[in-house]
Amino acid sequence: MGVSVQIRGLKGSVSPLFTHLFSVQIFRDCSGNTHAEKTYSFIDLGTLTIWCHCLILQTPIPRVVGEIGRRIQTTGEKTYFRMTTNISKDLLMLMLERMWRIRHFELKLTEMYNAGEVGGVHLYIGQEAVAVGACAALKDSDYIAGNHRSHGHPIAKGANLKKAMAEIFGRIDGYCKGKGGSMHLADFSVGILGESGIVASSVPVATGAALASKLEGKDFVSAVFFGDGASNQGACHESMNLASVWDLPVLFICENNQYAVTTSYKDTVAVEHISDRAQAYNMPGILVDGQDAIAMYEATAQAVERARNGEGPTLIEALTYRFEDHSLGLEKIRKSEYREESEIDEWRLRDPLDLLTKSIVDSGTATPAECDAVSANAHAEVEEAAEFARNSPFPDESELYKDMFASDMPVV
Amino acid sequence: MKTMAFNEAIRTALHEEMQRDESVFVIGEDVATHGGPYKVTDGIAEAFPGRIFETPIAEAGIVGIGVGAAMAGMRPVVELMYLDFVTCAMDEVVNQAAKMRYMTGGQARVPMVIRLPCGIGRLLAAQHSQILESWFMHVPGLQVVVPSTPADAKGLFKTAVRSPDPVMFFEYKRIYTSKGEVPEGDYTIPIGQADVKREGEDATVVAIGPMVQKSLEAAVLLEDDGYDIEVVDPRSLSPLDVDTICESVRKTGRAIVCGEDSTFAGAASEIAAMIGENCFGDLKAPVRRIGSPHVPMPFSSELVKHVVPEKSHVIEAVNQSMAA
C-alpha cells in the first residue's frame, strides 16, 4: 500500500514498511529530474502532511534545499518534520531566552491588563518562534520592520525590556517616549525600522531599506514581518514585485497566524499557501513551520544568504497560530465565534516554547534544569521591567511638540 | 544669475544636490529614459547612472520604498508623475513618512522629497489637475512647499533635499516653462519663510503658486487706479510664516488671499482665518479669498475658464476690498 503525496510541486510517495513505520521518498520534480531519493522513517503516521520544514524553495523549477530529518512531533493526524541542524548551543539558548522574554512579557501584560494597569494590546503568544527564529539568523546591522503585533519582533531582535514596558505604560523612558505605545514598539538601536499599525505598510518600508543597502553597497539585509491579512494588501504585492525586479536583499516573512482579526485566510487567500504567491514574483517561496524556531532559523538563514549574495528577495510563509484573541480588550469577539476551541487546543499542543525546549533537551544540548533557568531569568527580567515602567514618569506636556521635525519648527 | 525655466531650475537643483551628496537618488515612473513628463529629471540618468530608479506603476510601493530608504540613511527624491496619483500612496505619505519620527520618539528620520506636479497644465480633466495642498497642510510632520518662481524653485528644492524631514514639493504644471533669473551655485531658501514679492501700502495680496505672478501683474494694473499693492508669497504652506503675512496685513489693513486650489477648505482659507484671528483690529475690510469653485476640474477649455482664477479676479477682489 502506498500513499501518494504532493509536496510543493515534487511528487513523492509514502510506503508502509510495517505497521507503524513508513518511508518517504522524494523523487522527481515536474520536469522529471531526480533531486533526492532517500528513505525516512516516521512513527504513527495517519495522514502525512509535510508542510512544516524548509524543504523546498519554490522556484520555477522546484528543488530540494534540505533533507527531511527527524520527526519532531506527532500531533493528532499531523506529523511534523525538520531537517537536522547544527545550531550552536549558544544560539539555541539565546533563542530560548528571547522566546521566554516575549512570553513572560506578554503574560505580564495580560496580568496587568486584567488589573487595569495597561490598555489593550495585540499579543504574540503562540508565534514567538517566528520572530525569534528569524532574528537569530540576522546580524545586529540588519534591519527588521514589523506590524501592530509589535512586542515580539523587537524583543526577538534584542531590544531592552524595560524601555519596551515603559513605552506600553506611556512613560518618558519608553523607546518612543510614550508617543508610540504598544503598536509602535520600536528600538532603533537594535536595527528596527519601526512597527506600524497600518497593515502591510512596513512591507515597502523594509523594501526601501533593502534598496538603501544596495545603493550604499553595504551588506545589510532587511526583513519584514507581516500577517496573512497583510499579504492581501496592494502595497505588499507592489513591494515584492519591485524587490524581485531589482534583486533587493529583503526577506518577506509572512506570519500566517491564520486569522485577520476574525477572518480566516482560507476565505481570503486565493492560493493554498501564501508562499505560493512567490511564483508570481519569480522569487523563492518557502513554507515553514512557524512553531519551530529552528526551522525558522534555517529558512531565514538560507534567505539571508541569498540576499547577501545579491540573489534577491525570498518570501517565507511561517504557518503559525495566535493562541489568544486578536487583542486584549476584544473580549466581545469570542474565540468560538470564528474558530473552534478544539482548533485552539490542537495548536496549543504545539507551543513553540515546548518544541524548542524539547529539541534542546532531546539533543542533549542542555538539561531541563538549564532550560527552566532561562525561563526563570526571563520572568525576573520582565518583573523588573514592569517595576521600572511603573516608576518612570509620564512625559511632560512640552514633549507634545517635540520630535515632529529634526529641529523645532513653528507649530501653528 | 542665469535665466532659466521653472522645470530647468528644479533639474539644476537636483543635479547639484546629487553631485554634492551621494545619498540622494531619484525614484519614480518614467523618470530615467523619458525624464518625466515635464522633463525635470532629463539627463539625470546619464549624469548619475545607478542613482535613478524607473519603477513599475506602483505609487504606494514607490513612496513606501522611499520612506524605507530614507530611514536607512538615503535621501530619496520621489517623483509622482501627477499629484493626483498621491491618492494611491496616502498611507505611505500620511501614516508613514509624516508620523515616523514622532511615533518613534525621534528615533526615525525620513529625509525625503516627494515631487508633485499639480494643477492645470494641458487639458487633462479631473484626475490629472488637482492641487490638494491643504490635505497635506493638515498632516503634522509634513512640510508643504510651493515655489512660484524659478529662483524659489531652485532654492527651495535644494533645501528640501537637505531637510531631515519629509517635504511635499508642489510644482504647478502651468509654470514649468515660465522663465526667470536664477542665482547660480549653492543657492538655498529656508523652508517656512515667506517672501514679500512686491511692497505696497494699500492692500496685501497673499498669493500661492502661479497666483503670485498673476497678482504681480494685477498690482501693476491697479497702479492706474492709484492702489499700491503688496504681494506676499508664503512659499511654504507648512510651516506657514504667519508673522510675515500678518505684519503685511497690519500695515495695509486689507487682505486678499489667493490660490488656484478650491477655496473651500483650501490653503487660502486657513491663511484667511489666521489673518482674521491675528489682525482683526487692523482690518479695514473683510478678508477675501480667491480660488477655484468646489468642483472637479472639467475637461472643456470653456469650462476650465470658470474654474481657474486669473488676474482679473485679483483686481476685482482688491477693488471690492478698497471700496469696503
Side-chain angles (χ1 to χ4, degrees), chain A residues 145-162:
Chain A
N147 58 10
H148 57 286
R149 200 169 299 288
S150 86
H151 314 150
H153 311 133
I155 296 175
K157 193 81 168 35
N160 175 294
L161 293 184
K162 289 181 180 173

CSV table of all heavy atoms in Angstrom, one decimal, chain A residues 145-162:
chain,number,residue,atom,x,y,z
A,145,ALA,N,11.4,45.2,10.2
A,145,ALA,CA,10.3,46.1,10.4
A,145,ALA,C,9.1,45.2,10.7
A,145,ALA,O,9.0,44.0,10.3
A,145,ALA,CB,10.0,46.9,9.1
A,146,GLY,N,8.1,45.7,11.4
A,146,GLY,CA,7.0,44.9,11.9
A,146,GLY,C,5.7,45.5,11.8
A,146,GLY,O,5.5,46.5,11.1
A,147,ASN,N,4.8,45.0,12.6
A,147,ASN,CA,3.4,45.5,12.5
A,147,ASN,C,2.8,45.8,13.9
A,147,ASN,O,3.5,45.9,14.8
A,147,ASN,CB,2.6,44.4,11.7
A,147,ASN,CG,2.6,43.1,12.4
A,147,ASN,OD1,3.1,42.9,13.5
A,147,ASN,ND2,2.1,42.1,11.7
A,148,HIS,N,1.5,45.8,13.9
A,148,HIS,CA,0.8,46.2,15.1
A,148,HIS,C,1.0,45.2,16.2
A,148,HIS,O,0.9,45.5,17.4
A,148,HIS,CB,-0.7,46.3,14.8
A,148,HIS,CG,-1.3,45.1,14.2
A,148,HIS,ND1,-1.0,44.7,12.9
A,148,HIS,CD2,-2.0,44.1,14.7
A,148,HIS,CE1,-1.6,43.5,12.7
A,148,HIS,NE2,-2.2,43.1,13.8
A,149,ARG,N,1.2,44.0,15.9
A,149,ARG,CA,1.5,42.9,16.9
A,149,ARG,C,3.0,43.0,17.2
A,149,ARG,O,3.8,42.2,16.8
A,149,ARG,CB,1.1,41.5,16.3
A,149,ARG,CG,0.9,40.5,17.3
A,149,ARG,CD,0.3,39.2,16.7
A,149,ARG,NE,-1.0,39.5,16.1
A,149,ARG,CZ,-2.2,39.8,16.7
A,149,ARG,NH1,-2.2,39.7,18.1
A,149,ARG,NH2,-3.3,40.1,16.1
A,150,SER,N,3.3,44.1,17.9
A,150,SER,CA,4.7,44.6,17.8
A,150,SER,C,5.6,44.3,18.9
A,150,SER,O,6.8,44.8,19.0
A,150,SER,CB,4.6,46.1,17.6
A,150,SER,OG,4.6,46.8,18.8
A,151,HIS,N,5.3,43.5,19.9
A,151,HIS,CA,6.2,43.2,21.0
A,151,HIS,C,7.2,42.2,20.7
A,151,HIS,O,8.4,42.3,21.1
A,151,HIS,CB,5.4,42.7,22.3
A,151,HIS,CG,4.2,43.5,22.6
A,151,HIS,ND1,3.1,43.0,23.2
A,151,HIS,CD2,3.9,44.8,22.3
A,151,HIS,CE1,2.1,44.0,23.3
A,151,HIS,NE2,2.6,45.1,22.8
A,152,GLY,N,6.8,41.2,19.9
A,152,GLY,CA,7.7,40.0,19.7
A,152,GLY,C,8.9,40.4,18.8
A,152,GLY,O,10.0,39.9,19.1
A,153,HIS,N,8.7,41.2,17.8
A,153,HIS,CA,9.8,41.5,16.9
A,153,HIS,C,10.9,42.2,17.5
A,153,HIS,O,12.1,41.7,17.4
A,153,HIS,CB,9.2,42.3,15.7
A,153,HIS,CG,8.0,41.7,15.0
A,153,HIS,ND1,6.9,42.4,14.7
A,153,HIS,CD2,7.7,40.4,14.7
A,153,HIS,CE1,6.0,41.6,14.2
A,153,HIS,NE2,6.4,40.4,14.2
A,154,PRO,N,10.7,43.3,18.2
A,154,PRO,CA,11.9,44.0,18.8
A,154,PRO,C,12.6,43.1,19.9
A,154,PRO,O,13.8,43.1,20.0
A,154,PRO,CB,11.3,45.3,19.4
A,154,PRO,CG,9.9,45.1,19.4
A,154,PRO,CD,9.5,44.1,18.4
A,155,ILE,N,11.8,42.4,20.7
A,155,ILE,CA,12.4,41.6,21.7
A,155,ILE,C,13.2,40.5,21.1
A,155,ILE,O,14.3,40.1,21.5
A,155,ILE,CB,11.3,41.0,22.7
A,155,ILE,CG1,10.6,42.2,23.5
A,155,ILE,CG2,11.9,40.1,23.7
A,155,ILE,CD1,9.5,41.8,24.3
A,156,ALA,N,12.7,39.9,20.0
A,156,ALA,CA,13.4,38.9,19.3
A,156,ALA,C,14.7,39.5,18.7
A,156,ALA,O,15.7,38.7,18.6
A,156,ALA,CB,12.6,38.4,18.1
A,157,LYS,N,14.8,40.7,18.4
A,157,LYS,CA,16.0,41.3,17.8
A,157,LYS,C,16.9,41.8,18.9
A,157,LYS,O,18.0,42.2,18.6
A,157,LYS,CB,15.6,42.5,16.9
A,157,LYS,CG,16.7,43.1,16.0
A,157,LYS,CD,16.9,42.2,14.8
A,157,LYS,CE,17.7,42.8,13.6
A,157,LYS,NZ,18.9,43.6,13.9
A,158,GLY,N,16.5,41.7,20.2
A,158,GLY,CA,17.4,42.0,21.3
A,158,GLY,C,17.1,43.3,22.0
A,158,GLY,O,17.9,43.8,22.7
A,159,ALA,N,15.9,43.8,21.9
A,159,ALA,CA,15.5,45.0,22.5
A,159,ALA,C,15.4,44.9,24.0
A,159,ALA,O,15.2,43.9,24.6
A,159,ALA,CB,14.2,45.5,21.9
A,160,ASN,N,15.6,46.1,24.6
A,160,ASN,CA,15.6,46.2,26.1
A,160,ASN,C,14.2,46.1,26.6
A,160,ASN,O,13.3,46.8,26.1
A,160,ASN,CB,16.3,47.6,26.4
A,160,ASN,CG,16.2,47.9,27.8
A,160,ASN,OD1,15.2,48.1,28.4
A,160,ASN,ND2,17.4,48.0,28.4
A,161,LEU,N,14.0,45.3,27.6
A,161,LEU,CA,12.6,45.0,28.1
A,161,LEU,C,12.1,46.2,28.9
A,161,LEU,O,10.9,46.5,28.9
A,161,LEU,CB,12.6,43.8,29.0
A,161,LEU,CG,12.8,42.4,28.3
A,161,LEU,CD1,12.6,41.3,29.2
A,161,LEU,CD2,11.9,42.3,27.1
A,162,LYS,N,13.0,46.9,29.6
A,162,LYS,CA,12.5,48.0,30.4
A,162,LYS,C,11.9,49.1,29.6
A,162,LYS,O,10.8,49.6,29.9
A,162,LYS,CB,13.6,48.6,31.3
A,162,LYS,CG,14.1,47.7,32.4
A,162,LYS,CD,15.2,48.3,33.1
A,162,LYS,CE,15.7,47.4,34.3
A,162,LYS,NZ,16.9,47.9,34.9
